Amino acid sequence: MGALVLGLGAVNADMLPEVGGKAANLGELLAAGLPVPEGFCLTTAAYLQATAPIGLDEVHRALRATPADDLDALAALAGRARSLITSAELPPEIAAAVRSAYGARGTAAGRPDAPVAVRSSATAEDQPFASFAGQQDTYLNVVGADSLLAAVRNCWASLWTDRAVAYRASRGIDPSTVALAVVVQRMVDSAAAGVMFTANPVTGRRRESVIDASQGLGEAVVSGAVNPDHFVVDTESGTILERRLGDKRLVIRSTPGGGTEHVDQPASGTKPCLTDRQIRDLAALGGRAEAHYGAPQDTEWAIDPAGKLWLTQSRPITTLYPVPVQVPGAGPAARREGTRIFLCFSLAQGLTRPLTPMGIAAFRILGSSVARAASFDVPDARTGPPPFAEAGQRIFIDLTGVVRSTVGRFIVPRAFDVMEARSAAVLRSVFTDPRFSITRRTPWGLLRRVIPVALRGRVPESLLRALLRPEAALRRVDRFTKDFGHALELPPGTSSLQRLDHAERVLAGAFPIVPAILPLPALGFALLALAGKLLGGPDRRTDLQPILRGLPNNVTTEMDLELWRLATAIRSDGEARRLFEDQPLAVLAQRFSAQELPAAAQQGLDGFLEQYGHRAVAEIDLGMPRWRDDPTHILGVLANYLRLEDPALAPDRQFRRAEAEAEAQIARLVAEASSRGRVRGAIVRAALRRARLFIGLRERPKYQIVLALAEARRQVAATGAELARRGRIARADDVFFLDFAEVRQALGGTDMQDLVARRQGAYSLELDRRRIPRMLLSDGTEPETVLSAGAAADGALAGSPASAGTVTAPARVILDPVGAHLEPGEILVAPSTDPGWTPLFLTAGGLVMEMGGPNSHGAVVAREYGIPAVVGVPDATSRLRTGQQITVDGGAGTVVPGS
């Protein structure tokens, strides 16, 4: 058993298991020479000694066996733990150690009645990866040894509050590994106190300190009991950027003899509680704490009656999104050009979750192949091209050159207008920032990169063929995709190193599929716009939208309809249907793997996965299992389909109806155009028919790239199995937490298990991150925070119109489609979608997405299925709730919440 009491001056960050997060941080601040009130720490050894004989082990075992979502059971066990602690006698040696430290000069105040602050310091607290702040108790102005001992016992019991227990359970923290130390410090009877963030927690800006302050003790500010003064300081210049005075109607003060009191006072909104000098001194003090830790800090501070500044707490700001880090070669350019702007590529692809390290490694190689095709210098394909950056285990792209170019400003926001409208607004918001003034005004730099790629991809020839012989253009696409598929094949009997070589070749060779196919859907959209121009009159988008329903040549639509046909076959087979209705998905997956499903289901699913098994939710991440690896999601979708009873709502019937409506709309528009001239009518007919033929191909390039990713995954997975057999990694799938160079090192004999474990821990924590910025500046600023949240009249949420129509139905908020339950007719509310989500669309009554624009993937599929959809609705998954009745107007782009 370790020491029971340590002076704060003897504590450092390496002693977290003995002293907890708060004490460790205070000890670090003292060691750095920062003003921290003196005191001591009653270590976790004291907690463990005091609680060992009282029966907490039984509570620990019960908590481990309780599901994290059973809040009632967790609360009952938490109450049991608190009762055990508060009713037990404090061991004499612990009481004696506390009394001795309390009276010793240099640890408290050197006298038996010194007022002290007693703070809980848990071992799972104040860490960079999670915030447990406020979950354990603090007692202020504790006077006398007996009161101090009572406060210690209450701090220990607060380790087991309902909230703290539920929080730890949700993060898989073993209850037996958590212990509590107690910090005892001299009480600062403050004239003013509050909190300070050394980076702006709202905008993300790293060079701004944000201070909230009020008179009296800082508890009033920390607890939210007062409307404080609010200051924002530029930490480089010391300029006070923002000054907003609160009414400060409540003051918490120390009372003689111990404890605190809440005192109401007249509003003092015209008089700040800090001078400008104090504000700047506080910001400088926060800067010293940040410099010591090397990361932005969330601090608590106090100013005593003599005007001295004190830090009473400092911990990392866990809510800040990390600043993107570029490839090494991009560093000098970034330094020359100052502040950079980054687009989150992951979000643009509909992916909110982090990517595995191997998934990021794959995109570095893919990005390098794109850059090299455009004649950029990429010294190392595994490092990625200069615009490539990473933050929060997500991919970002440096758009600084685009924003500083006249051509870039013209093209890119317009592309986002249809793909992800909110990103377009965010991008335009930075155009007025003088740091991003235009430096390139001609298109020659862009043309120099694009023209060689277009010529090598035979784009002019493809466009001409598509205009004159559209069927021949489609046949060429089919031939190209077949040849691409053959190139993915690897002969059997190859070594692990050869498998890795093949995986990297496949990724490096995937880009040519894009210029070979993408010009055709681009031409389709151009022809649709041409038809609208020839029809004339006001905005014709509403008239043209039905043309985009029931599109042919869309691989995602074909996949979803094939899955519906499989569901129909299962419905017709009594044994198979009963199995899907009665058995949990895990059992269905086991029986499928054992080839034990009824023939209608087994053969049908085998056939579906043979063709589409390379797809997945979050499929752009090479590290994510494909449907052929784990068909549980598809089995769940089939079970959802079987609940659809109304034949009129059958997706295949709706798709045929959409095709008929599109053809009828073409006939109406051609007739309208022909009334103004036969040539005009013929051009409109040709344009609309080619638009329908080609626009569906927009899904094909990504489909083919996902094929390449799946093949690369297959080869990496086989290599992972070899590494697991050799003991270099613990499990075969651990290989996806390495990159290609590291896998080669492992094949050479390096043990990677520790590295994998660290990365898996970081990945698990990133999975909990809900807010992902669309764009980030290199100083940490999120440009989106300066825009309004996007609200419409009468409390409606505003987004971008995506698929016309109005529906009122219950919402179903789904953050992850795997295993999701969506009743037929419910409105799907999601952060974003990729093709792995679209099987849910078939039975959805409507769609609301936080991401996306009118031509994003989810919007296109929603139109094809004829369900009303609104996309680009900020924070929809948190502002709407499952079961809430909502009205989606896909034409107006609004979502009206009901009760």
Side-chain angles (χ1 to χ4, degrees), residues 352 617 633 640 770 811-823 826-833 837 840-841 844 847-850 876-878 880-882:
T352 57
V617 175
H633 172 54
N640 279 339
R770 290 294 307 277
R812 174 73 65 171
V813 178
I814 297 178
L815 303 179
D816 185 342
V818 178
H821 180 94
L822 182 71
E823 289 291 338
E826 288 183 324
I827 296 171
L828 171 61
V829 181
S832 61
T833 62
W837 287 73
L840 294 173
F841 288 25
L847 172 68
V848 177
M849 293 195 328
E850 293 179 336
T877 59
S878 57
L880 302 173
R881 65 181 186 277
T882 293

Side-chain angles (χ1 to χ4, degrees), residues 34 86 113 125 132 234 261 264 309 468 492 543 548 566 577 583 634 652 752 819 856 887:
L34 293 166
T86 55
D113 60 346
E125 178 183 51
F132 290 72
D234 183 317
E261 62 178 355
D264 292 325
L309 274 59
L468 301 178
D543 293 331
L548 301 178
L566 174 54
R577 178 171 183 170
Q583 295 296 325
I634 294 301
D652 53 350
M752 294 292 182
S856 61
T887 297

Side-chain angles (χ1 to χ4, degrees), residues 296-312:
Q297 295 292 295
D298 168 4
T299 69
E300 295 178 22
W301 55 270
I303 300 178
D304 66 22
K308 181 174 176 58
L309 274 59
W310 298 93
L311 278 178
T312 57

Side-chain angles (χ1 to χ4, degrees), residues 367-384:
S368 295
S369 70
V370 175
R372 285 174 171 172
S375 302
F376 285 98
D377 180 31
V378 182
D380 183 354
R382 293 179 189 160
T383 302

Side-chain angles (χ1 to χ4, degrees), residues 456-514:
R456 283 194 296 271
R458 301 167 67 180
V459 171
E461 176 188 337
S462 296
L463 293 175
L464 185 62
R465 182 187 296 108
L467 285 170
L468 301 178
R469 300 172 59 209
E471 297 296 338
L474 291 175
R475 288 194 296 272
R476 181 175 181 270
V477 168
D478 288 339
R479 287 197 302 272
F480 198 96
T481 54
K482 287 178 182 176
D483 292 344
F484 182 83
H486 293 322
L488 300 180
E489 297 174 1
L490 180 68
T494 52
S495 68
S496 291
L497 281 175
Q498 289 172 324
R499 288 180 180 277
L500 281 185
D501 290 341
H502 178 68
E504 294 190 68
R505 279 197 304 272
V506 164
L507 295 170
F511 173 68
I513 198 75
V514 176

Side-chain angles (χ1 to χ4, degrees), residues 665-865:
Q665 183 72 349
I666 288 177
R668 283 192 293 271
L669 295 177
V670 169
E672 178 185 336
S674 297
S675 68
R676 299 166 61 187
R678 293 178 59 187
V679 173
R680 185 184 297 261
I683 295 174
V684 168
R685 178 187 293 108
L688 292 179
R689 295 213 173 278
R690 283 163 175 75
R692 278 188 58 78
L693 276 178
F694 296 142
I695 287 177
L697 290 172
R698 69 182 293 277
E699 297 285 324
R700 190 70 69 88
K702 182 178 179 181
Y703 181 89
Q704 298 300 126
I705 288 174
V706 171
L707 266 176
L709 288 169
E711 171 60 17
R713 174 186 167 82
R714 192 167 70 89
Q715 302 304 335
V716 171
T719 305
E722 173 65 21
L723 291 176
R725 284 193 295 272
R726 296 188 195 178
R728 303 291 184 263
I729 54 179
R731 293 167 297 275
D733 282 353
D734 288 353
V735 71
F736 298 110
F737 286 87
L738 303 172
D739 61 26
F740 285 100
E742 291 160 350
V743 173
R744 292 176 186 276
Q745 292 174 24
L747 288 171
T750 304
D751 189 318
M752 294 292 182
Q753 294 191 53
D754 287 344
L755 176 61
V756 166
R758 289 196 301 274
R759 287 183 176 168
Q760 287 174 332
Y763 179 83
S764 177
L765 293 166
E766 273 299 327
L767 285 172
D768 288 337
R769 192 187 294 275
R770 290 294 307 277
R771 178 172 174 78
I772 315 301
R774 286 170 166 82
M775 292 184 189
L776 268 177
L777 303 189
S778 55
D779 67 356
T781 304
E782 296 183 30
E784 188 174 6
T785 59
V786 304
L787 300 178
S788 64
D794 302 322
L797 311 183
S800 298
S803 180
T806 302
V807 61
T808 300
R812 174 73 65 171
V813 178
I814 297 178
L815 303 179
D816 185 342
V818 178
H821 180 94
L822 182 71
E823 289 291 338
E826 288 183 324
I827 296 171
L828 171 61
V829 181
S832 61
T833 62
D834 64 10
W837 287 73
T838 58
L840 294 173
F841 288 25
L842 288 179
T843 56
L847 172 68
V848 177
M849 293 195 328
E850 293 179 336
M851 297 293 297
N855 278 324
S856 61
H857 171 80
V860 170
V861 177
R863 283 197 296 271
E864 292 189 18
Y865 292 168

Side-chain angles (χ1 to χ4, degrees), residues 384-402:
F388 192 101
E390 181 184 343
Q393 299 169 48
R394 293 165 180 90
I395 297 172
F396 284 77
I397 303 298
D398 188 343
L399 289 186
T400 310
V402 169

